[in-house]
Amino acid sequence: MSASNLGPTGCGRRETRKRETELRIHRCALELTDERGLDGWTMDDLADAADVSRRTLFNYFPGKVDAVLGGTPELPAEALEVFHRGGPTGRLVDDLSALAAAILAEKGFDPEVMALGHRILHQTPRLIVIAHERFEQVTGDLVDHILRREGEGFGAARARLLVRLLVAVFDVAINQLNDNPGDRPVAEIFDENVRLARDLLA
């Protein structure tokens, strides 16, 4: 069937399959790294573990570090439009939290995978450098979105500080998830910590 004959349902299924494949490869890369270390496996090993061809594997990730770190978070267009309009609550911190929750939902993040990735990242110094570069890129994008919503008068330094504070809160949420694995979604734990941080800084 050609792309032009695919309705919204067909497109939705295709995107869902792509996300599932990406997440499966990412999970397998983390598990291989956890078992053997970053240098203890090859892309061929990853293809076998994820049950995909080498061609498919490289369509998703150009190398093992990319597979271990996973895809760069994407801001869902609909949630971003709501944020730019000043929603969904009209309170900047809460709306940034809602945007973070939308990112988690869009990518289908698995709490166990997130906890595993967090642990591996802190055990593998070379991954931290690359992850930091990615973080700076994402931070810059979020700062631009905040200034678009709030206006340049809000200040880039202020926006960057806000993003970094929220990332620190998110990091605490992941640590709590590591310490107490369970069925609670990370977005819920993140929201609780945002409220706690607000009370502490008030």
Side-chain angles (χ1 to χ4, degrees), residues 83-99:
F83 179 78
H84 286 158
R85 292 201 308 264
T89 70
R91 298 181 297 274
L92 179 58
V93 172
D94 292 335
D95 293 344
L96 280 169
S97 299
L99 195 57

Side-chain angles (χ1 to χ4, degrees), residues 27-202:
R27 175 192 278 271
C28 289
L30 288 172
E31 290 174 346
L32 286 169
T33 304
D34 195 37
E35 294 169 3
R36 309 180 191 177
L38 188 59
D39 295 323
W41 55 274
T42 66
M43 291 296 275
D44 284 333
D45 294 329
L46 179 56
D48 290 340
D51 194 25
V52 296
S53 68
R54 278 181 56 88
R55 179 176 180 180
T56 296
L57 176 59
F58 283 100
N59 281 339
Y60 283 91
F61 299 107
K64 64 165 60 178
V65 169
D66 302 280
V68 171
L69 293 177
T72 303
E74 296 179 5
L75 299 172
E78 185 175 342
L80 195 54
E81 182 179 349
V82 171
F83 179 78
H84 286 158
R85 292 201 308 264
T89 70
R91 298 181 297 274
L92 179 58
V93 172
D94 292 335
D95 293 344
L96 280 169
S97 299
L99 195 57
I103 295 172
L104 292 172
E106 179 77 7
K107 293 293 288 183
F109 283 112
D110 182 323
E112 292 183 2
V113 173
M114 293 183 70
L116 177 59
H118 188 265
R119 186 174 77 244
I120 289 173
L121 178 64
H122 287 82
Q123 292 174 348
T124 316
R126 4 183 203 152
L127 290 177
I128 294 178
V129 176
I130 300 171
H132 180 74
E133 292 173 354
R134 286 189 174 194
F135 170 71
E136 288 300 325
Q137 178 183 344
V138 172
T139 297
D141 291 341
L142 285 172
V143 167
D144 290 342
H145 290 302
I146 291 172
L147 295 179
R148 174 175 170 180
R149 166 181 157 143
E150 300 294 319
E152 293 293 331
F154 187 85
R158 190 179 176 200
R160 184 172 293 275
L161 176 60
L162 176 56
V163 172
R164 289 182 179 274
L165 286 172
L166 289 176
V167 169
V169 171
F170 184 78
D171 199 48
V172 170
I174 295 298
N175 282 328
Q176 290 176 336
L177 194 65
N178 281 331
D179 294 339
N180 299 289
D183 297 329
R184 295 182 66 202
V186 67
E188 180 181 320
I189 301 173
F190 174 67
D191 282 341
E192 286 184 1
N193 280 283
V194 168
R195 290 194 293 271
L196 177 60
R198 184 186 291 112
D199 290 342
L200 289 171
L201 294 172

